[in-house]
Amino acid sequence: MNRTLYTALFYLGLPLVAIRLWLRSRKAPAYAKRIGERFSLGLPSMQPGGIWVHAVSVGESIAAAPMIRALLARYPQLPITVTCMTPTGSERIHALFANEPRIQHCYLPYDLPCAAARFLDRVQPKLAVIMETELWPNHIDQCARRGIPVALANARLSERSAKGYGRFARLTAPMLAQMSLFAVQTEAEAQRFLRLGARPETVQVTGSIKFDLSIDPQLLQRATELRQQWQAMERPVWIAASTHEGEDAVVLDAHRQLLGNYPNALLILVPRHPERFDSVHELCRQQGFATVRRSAAEPVLATTSVLLGDTMGELLFLYALADSAFVGGSLVPNGGHNLLEPAALAKPVISGPHLFNFLEIAAMLREAGALQEVDDAEGLAVAVQRLFELPQDARKMADAGLKVLKANQGALQRLLDGLGRLLGRH
């Protein structure tokens, strides 16, 4: 399939796109808003001539934040336009950069030539930076026509995704050849991009910028103060973060088992998607757990068994409140979430077996003894209880995780150097 056929199919598929938006808006009403932006219509006013960064959703927005802050500092005269595809991503971008007047934001228009052209005519970026693996043939082609270099930052490409792209070589190969930089996480991924048609001089192994995570010492201080306020310094506290549908019941089952031995244990449960906050709260109540919602700012009492983390932008703080951390999206075949956030906060890390989005990072943490994988509620309860009972083991795991994090830092600097070369040429 070439780009012309791809574009024709995209136009034909627009009714399905509209149905999908409508279905999503039933769960998350924000999908029904700002629809014009998805076609480059009614875009907010934009200052042209800066850097355009695309981060598809929440995870990529968080990963992109240190890079965006560094670009703001390096290029004080340039505006930065940050796009995403989801309402939660949009909320996160607003939360991360609320006080930064040079950050401009809108949804990325659909990958139609006319929409991509209108968007680029408005924004006129000197450089386009796409996070991880969001590759859109028409957007990239429109950039190439205007001489705008396109970089793929923190680039990931699993074997499975590479096979998928490989099936459409007549579409994929010309698109990759039009790009100026692939800042990839690992050598294996570099080879996959090269096989698919990326030009050798554009592919550079920079490592993962997820390792370049710096923790504000005030965050840890605030967490300690809140636990003191809860009178929970001696209470065993654990967090289950970024959980997906199907995981919350398993986590609550594990918590029930823990309460048999530790009646004062506190679980901080943080669903991944805001549209699930209410249903997870209902599940906690149905199962008889004394539950407090973080958004309600109610105090956590000695009788509270579950704190529902139903706020946005607080995940690192909630991790800081806990003694050990389970990272969700991994007991169900979703591929896992960022294991390095709890590791950076010196928390022992537990996950399920489905970690295909973080294979290399998981392997490093596993080999260092910083990650424990479990398969079910019983395994999770045993793992959390062991860490409660053996603080020395918990400390060992935490130290090992921090060591892995520090040993792999530097990717952000290498990426920024690569982007600087592209801006210098423009």
Side-chain angles (χ1 to χ4, degrees):
M1 178 167 63
N2 60 19
R3 200 167 48 78
T4 309
L5 178 57
Y6 160 82
T7 303
L9 290 171
F10 206 130
Y11 276 114
L12 288 170
L14 281 177
L16 295 174
V17 170
I19 290 166
R20 188 163 177 259
L21 268 182
W22 176 73
L23 288 170
R24 286 192 149 185
S25 71
R26 292 175 69 190
K27 271 190 174 179
Y31 274 101
K33 294 171 186 160
R34 297 164 54 195
I35 287 172
E37 287 181 25
R38 297 183 185 276
F39 296 91
S40 291
L41 303 169
L43 290 173
S45 63
M46 299 274 190
Q47 191 188 335
I51 299 167
W52 162 37
V53 177
H54 178 57
V56 64
S57 189
V58 173
E60 292 80 6
S61 302
I62 294 166
M67 176 192 77
I68 293 169
R69 289 202 182 94
L71 290 170
L72 284 166
R74 273 195 180 197
Y75 305 102
Q77 74 289 8
L78 294 182
I80 297 181
T81 303
V82 186
T83 59
C84 68
M85 299 296 283
T86 68
T88 49
S90 181
E91 274 177 43
R92 182 52 53 91
I93 290 161
H94 281 301
L96 286 166
F97 302 107
N99 303 316
E100 183 42 73
R102 282 190 293 137
I103 294 288
Q104 312 177 138
H105 166 63
C106 65
Y107 285 136
L108 179 69
Y110 290 130
D111 195 35
L112 301 165
C114 55
R118 278 196 298 271
F119 172 74
L120 291 172
D121 290 345
R122 173 69 72 90
V123 177
Q124 295 174 28
K126 297 176 187 293
L127 169 67
V129 185
I130 300 168
M131 291 303 294
E132 302 198 352
T133 42
E134 273 291 296
L135 296 173
W136 295 107
N138 283 318
H139 277 287
I140 290 164
D141 181 67
Q142 290 292 329
C143 284
R145 286 166 189 256
R146 290 165 173 73
I148 300 164
V150 179
L152 193 63
N154 212 38
R156 290 192 300 150
L157 189 65
S158 67
E159 193 62 61
R160 196 166 95 181
S161 297
K163 277 181 187 158
Y165 279 119
R167 284 191 202 105
F168 303 100
R170 288 176 64 200
L171 178 66
T172 303
M175 172 182 71
L176 296 184
Q178 286 177 317
M179 295 176 67
S180 303
L181 175 66
F182 296 84
V184 302
Q185 296 186 24
T186 65
E187 184 57 47
E189 284 158 318
Q191 292 306 318
R192 286 171 201 145
F193 279 111
L194 289 167
R195 281 199 299 273
L196 287 170
R199 291 174 289 130
E201 67 274 19
T202 63
V203 179
Q204 185 188 350
V205 180
T206 52
S208 172
I209 64 172
K210 287 195 164 122
F211 287 100
D212 291 284
L213 185 62
S214 56
I215 300 297
D216 180 352
Q218 285 226 294
L219 186 83
L220 297 162
Q221 182 59 39
R222 274 176 47 226
T224 303
E225 284 166 10
L226 186 57
R227 268 189 76 161
Q228 283 169 341
Q229 210 177 302
W230 292 347
Q231 297 182 327
M233 292 308 287
E234 300 304 315
R235 273 184 90 171
V237 180
W238 69 295
I239 184 170
S242 298
T243 57
H244 284 247
E245 203 160 338
E247 287 186 308
D248 309 286
V250 178
V251 166
L252 290 172
D253 187 2
H255 191 50
R256 194 181 300 288
Q257 292 178 43
L258 274 169
L259 291 170
N261 295 314
Y262 289 87
N264 66 335
L266 175 67
L267 163 66
I268 303 171
L269 178 56
V270 191
R272 178 72 177 179
H273 299 108
E275 60 266 28
R276 294 184 55 248
F277 289 162
D278 288 344
S279 60
V280 174
H281 180 239
E282 191 49 41
L283 180 69
C284 294
R285 288 187 53 236
Q286 274 173 4
Q287 298 213 2
F289 292 100
T291 305
V292 162
R293 295 182 79 138
R294 173 81 179 142
S295 61
E298 296 167 33
V300 169
L301 306 170
T303 51
T304 305
S305 179
V306 176
L307 171 64
L308 182 68
D310 60 348
T311 49
M312 295 296 286
E314 275 205 314
L315 186 58
L316 283 178
F317 180 63
L318 295 174
Y319 272 132
L321 287 166
D323 303 316
S324 59
F326 166 77
V327 182
S330 58
L331 281 171
V332 291
N334 195 72
H337 290 293
N338 191 350
L339 302 165
L340 295 172
E341 289 174 333
L345 285 152
K347 307 296 173 189
V349 184
I350 305 164
S351 83
H354 302 287
L355 292 167
F356 50 82
N357 288 335
F358 294 90
L359 284 177
E360 287 81 8
I361 288 171
M364 286 179 197
L365 291 172
R366 197 185 297 116
E367 280 162 32
L371 172 68
Q372 184 174 351
E373 287 167 57
V374 299
D375 294 313
D376 52 23
E378 195 178 344
L380 182 54
V382 168
V384 175
Q385 184 167 326
R386 186 179 72 85
L387 294 169
F388 286 166
E389 288 172 354
L390 301 171
Q392 271 182 307
D393 282 19
R395 170 54 44 208
K396 246 193 210 164
M397 277 181 82
D399 290 346
L402 268 177
K403 211 169 166 185
V404 168
L405 189 83
K406 294 211 164 78
N408 288 281
Q409 289 181 333
L412 181 58
Q413 190 57 51
R414 290 187 284 274
L415 168 63
L416 291 167
D417 292 346
L419 298 179
R421 286 192 291 275
L422 295 181
L423 274 169
R425 274 186 233 149
H426 191 69

